[in-house]
Amino acid sequence: MRAIDLYAGIGGWSLGLRLAGVDVVASYEWWQAAVDTHNGNHGGALKATDVRQLRLEDLPSDIDLVVGSPPCTEFSYSNRGGGGDLEEGLKDLIRFLEIVDHLKPKFWALENVPRVAHVLRRGMSDPKHPLYRFRDLGMRIEVIDFSDYGTPQSRRRCIAGNIPFDLIASYRSRLPRRTLGDVIEAVACGDEVVDPVWGCRLSAAAVTERETEGALNAEELRMNREAKTYHPVYNNMAFPDAMDVPGRTVTATCTRVSRESIVIADGKGGFRRLSIRERACLQGFPITYQFYARSFPEKAKMVGNAIPPTFTYLVARAAQGASAEDLAPYSGAGSALRLPERSAPVTPPTTEGRTYPAGRSFRAALPGLRFKSGMRFELANGRGQQRDWQVRFFFGPSVDIREIELDQDLLRQLGSSPLIKKLMMTTGAAFATAELRLQETTPGALQAAWSHRAEGLRPFQVADLLGELAAEVHRRLEVVAIDDQHAVIGYVMAAAAEEEEGDTIPGSKKLATHAMAILSGLLVGAWFNTLPWHRRQKAVA
């Protein structure tokens, strides 16, 4: 079979197809680092090419299979929270389908993020949609998890085309399930490394990209743990990542603090992110594959953007009509893989941040005051550029988040209650102790510590301090309000109602369920926000 690869990236499509015996006669990619990597591993002489600018008459003829992965950035929910330019992303989908329509191959397949499945389905059903004119291409649209097909990573992607999907599905029973632990153990071998998927072997000294980052420092560790296990809106993630299941999706981002980063124990009592080689193996690239980029982040980006060659191998075999019984396992197809002639440059891993912008932003939920679905108390360093430290409370369903202003008016409103007056008397010593601790710093000094320009009390310590104070108030409230449960709910509802114009309070059931903790947070947050501490000298001596 003859194939062309559009939006080829670093060669994930080409590798799988060639291992199946398909002749990839042309590949097209615009990013130079990806082109270099494609050429280095496939022995080609590709030049950076913008697929949008290709002339249809210049394409090869007699093509049996067209494959490709148009850029997913504009469609990805990880890009600006899903706020990408969809019209811009559509241009590449249209271009891909124009080429398919022109070449009329026997088979074609397009890969992209799951969101594109909705775009394509709408395009095929809406006569006014720009994709509607391609409805006769025989498009079937599926969202597939590559971990079901022997890739050691849970990676859900939209696959659209006219390939034999049912035949590909029949391969699943023949493919072993690989895990994150399989990859970590294989790459760490000290003598000979056996590829955890493809079965090829190299001496440990010949395996590149095994350099690991230093362990996450205490601040990075806290931020990663918070983002994964205490996110106010999204589901919790395991921390560290579990070794007995396929790894989570390998992403293109490369920061040491990220909800999406895979974090594992480093065997020395700390935690680290993955090396480039570990990421590549999770993506289904063999240990022989080289990454010709100038930096660790650039290599991470090219690996995270790739399509696993494990799955592209299956697409090729299905296009060839191979039955499940005739399917050669990955270890059979890849056992003869060898290193390319030229090794990739060594690129030091990303190191922990030493300095940050003076206005570095901070935002963290207070321990004990996280209620999921967007409802939480959080400490943040201001709105705009002033970087004034404030506690804020958000409530309501995640699609309609509201805020209660934690200010002097709220303190006055709550303080008019005999119950609250009694509570504040019993907790006075705890508030005084907390205020003394805050006297160790100033708003400016706290910001300087957060931006690594000075030592001293740090924001997470303040968040913990306020969380502990709220927990103490909560304990005392449970005692003094044992017969006043309805009154506590009433105080919370009254505070929420101050922010609403109508009679309906969003999330009222959840407010009532957590009324004790919420009232404690309201008192602590309003107290903190109105402290004279905020008027202390903000400059760092």
Side-chain angles (χ1 to χ4, degrees):
M1 298 186 74
R2 286 164 51 85
I4 66 168
D5 181 4
L6 305 171
Y7 304 97
I10 62 174
W13 276 110
S14 290
L15 178 61
L17 268 57
R18 284 175 169 147
L19 287 174
V22 173
D23 182 13
V24 183
V25 299
S27 296
Y28 304 94
E29 170 59 39
W30 69 271
W31 184 23
Q32 188 61 56
V35 171
D36 293 341
T37 295
H38 198 294
N39 285 336
N41 287 280
H42 295 279
L46 305 183
K47 296 186 181 301
T49 303
D50 184 351
V51 175
R52 292 185 186 181
Q53 303 302 318
L54 280 174
R55 297 196 313 164
L56 297 180
E57 56 268 29
D58 291 338
L59 292 166
S61 58
D62 299 323
I63 297 300
D64 303 295
L65 176 61
V66 174
V67 297
S69 302
C72 66
T73 305
E74 305 301 342
F75 297 107
S76 175
Y77 282 109
S78 65
N79 175 43
R80 300 188 294 279
D85 186 340
L86 299 187
E87 289 190 8
E88 186 66 21
L90 268 175
K91 293 178 182 178
D92 290 300
L93 296 183
I94 291 170
R95 187 56 174 162
F96 182 95
L97 295 175
E98 283 177 340
I99 292 173
V100 171
D101 193 36
H102 171 74
L103 292 177
K104 294 180 171 48
K106 182 178 181 181
F107 295 113
W108 63 274
L110 175 153
E111 179 257 357
N112 217 289
V113 294
R115 189 183 188 186
V116 170
H118 302 291
V119 175
L120 293 173
R121 287 175 184 138
R122 181 184 172 191
M124 295 302 102
S125 61
D126 182 359
K128 296 181 180 180
H129 198 282
L131 294 177
Y132 188 71
R133 62 187 171 105
F134 301 111
R135 65 193 179 282
D136 295 328
L137 291 180
M139 184 186 304
R140 178 171 167 180
I141 304 163
E142 300 282 351
V143 174
I144 289 174
D145 188 336
F146 293 152
S147 68
D148 293 332
Y149 294 88
T151 306
Q153 167 196 192
S154 294
R155 189 180 188 88
R156 296 178 70 250
R157 285 296 185 267
C158 167
I159 304 294
N162 69 343
I163 53 176
F165 282 94
D166 294 337
L167 187 54
I168 293 173
S170 73
Y171 296 158
R172 290 174 57 174
S173 62
R174 305 273 295 178
L175 300 167
R177 191 168 178 81
R178 299 300 185 194
T179 68
L180 173 61
D182 293 336
V183 168
I184 302 303
E185 182 179 358
V187 174
C189 284
D191 297 321
E192 182 182 56
V193 177
V194 180
D195 191 282
V197 173
W198 296 101
C200 50
R201 298 169 178 266
L202 290 175
S203 68
V207 180
T208 60
E209 314 294 357
R210 293 206 301 172
E211 300 85 3
T212 58
E213 297 177 336
L216 298 172
N217 63 33
E219 180 182 281
E220 294 168 334
L221 185 61
R222 174 69 179 267
M223 294 173 72
N224 276 290
R225 192 188 298 272
E226 291 273 332
K228 295 174 191 297
T229 62
Y230 296 121
H231 197 280
V233 177
Y234 301 119
N235 293 331
N236 291 349
M237 294 178 174
F239 187 91
D241 284 80
M243 291 289 187
D244 58 350
V245 294
R248 287 186 296 101
T249 301
V250 174
T251 64
T253 55
C254 188
T255 60
R256 284 173 63 87
V257 177
S258 169
R259 174 175 160 83
E260 289 76 25
S261 290
I262 299 172
V263 176
I264 63 173
D266 65 2
K268 304 173 185 176
F271 299 89
R272 67 171 178 87
R273 299 192 311 152
L274 301 185
S275 67
I276 296 298
R277 182 55 60 193
E278 289 163 338
R279 297 172 196 229
C281 285
L282 283 180
Q283 277 281 55
F285 283 88
I287 55 176
T288 55
Y289 218 78
Q290 301 296 292
F291 304 98
Y292 301 92
R294 296 166 296 180
S295 68
F296 186 95
E298 195 171 45
K299 289 179 179 179
K301 179 180 179 180
M302 62 170 53
V303 171
N305 281 335
I307 182 172
T310 42
F311 188 75
T312 65
Y313 169 75
L314 301 181
V315 170
R317 294 299 285 132
Q320 293 166 332
S323 67
E325 291 72 23
D326 292 334
L327 179 71
Y330 295 137
S331 57
S335 60
L337 284 165
R338 297 290 181 267
L339 285 167
E341 292 183 3
R342 183 167 63 95
S343 294
V346 176
T347 49
T350 305
T351 58
E352 65 180 78
R354 302 296 182 184
T355 60
Y356 294 89
R360 185 188 185 194
S361 62
F362 178 86
R363 183 179 178 187
L366 302 186
L369 296 173
R370 312 171 175 102
F371 308 103
K372 299 301 292 182
S373 300
M375 185 181 290
R376 79 277 188 191
F377 287 85
E378 69 175 27
L379 175 67
N381 57 348
R383 305 174 186 181
Q385 298 301 315
Q386 297 303 311
R387 294 298 179 240
D388 293 323
W389 297 85
Q390 296 284 313
V391 172
R392 303 172 69 185
F393 176 59
F394 301 94
F395 69 99
S398 57
V399 295
D400 185 22
I401 295 290
R402 309 295 178 90
E403 181 179 357
I404 294 177
E405 292 291 339
L406 308 183
D407 54 17
Q408 191 66 51
D409 289 341
L410 178 62
L411 270 185
R412 191 178 301 112
Q413 174 188 331
L414 294 174
S416 64
S417 159
L419 174 64
I420 301 301
K421 287 180 180 178
K422 181 178 179 181
L423 175 66
M424 296 306 288
M425 288 180 61
T426 60
T427 56
F431 279 95
T433 300
E435 186 169 4
L436 278 175
R437 184 73 196 282
L438 287 171
Q439 298 305 314
E440 298 174 11
T441 187
T442 66
L446 190 62
Q447 182 67 39
W450 178 234
S451 59
H452 292 203
R453 284 167 166 74
E455 297 298 325
L457 201 65
R458 293 184 177 271
F460 276 115
Q461 292 175 291
V462 174
D464 290 344
L465 174 70
L466 297 176
E468 291 164 4
L469 179 58
E472 176 63 19
V473 174
H474 191 177
R475 286 191 290 271
R476 298 298 183 96
L477 181 59
E478 288 180 317
V479 175
V480 301
I482 192 168
D483 297 321
D484 295 290
Q485 299 287 331
H486 292 292
V488 171
I489 294 174
Y491 299 143
V492 171
M493 292 302 179
E498 288 289 321
E499 309 298 325
E500 303 302 316
E501 296 180 358
D503 297 329
T504 302
I505 301 175
S508 57
K509 183 177 180 180
K510 197 166 189 177
L511 288 170
T513 300
H514 300 283
M516 286 278 196
I518 290 171
L519 181 57
S520 303
L522 294 177
L523 289 168
V524 169
W527 165 83
F528 174 80
N529 290 348
T530 56
L531 276 177
W533 178 82
H534 293 280
R535 297 190 292 275
R536 296 186 71 199
Q537 177 64 37
K538 295 185 178 183
V540 180

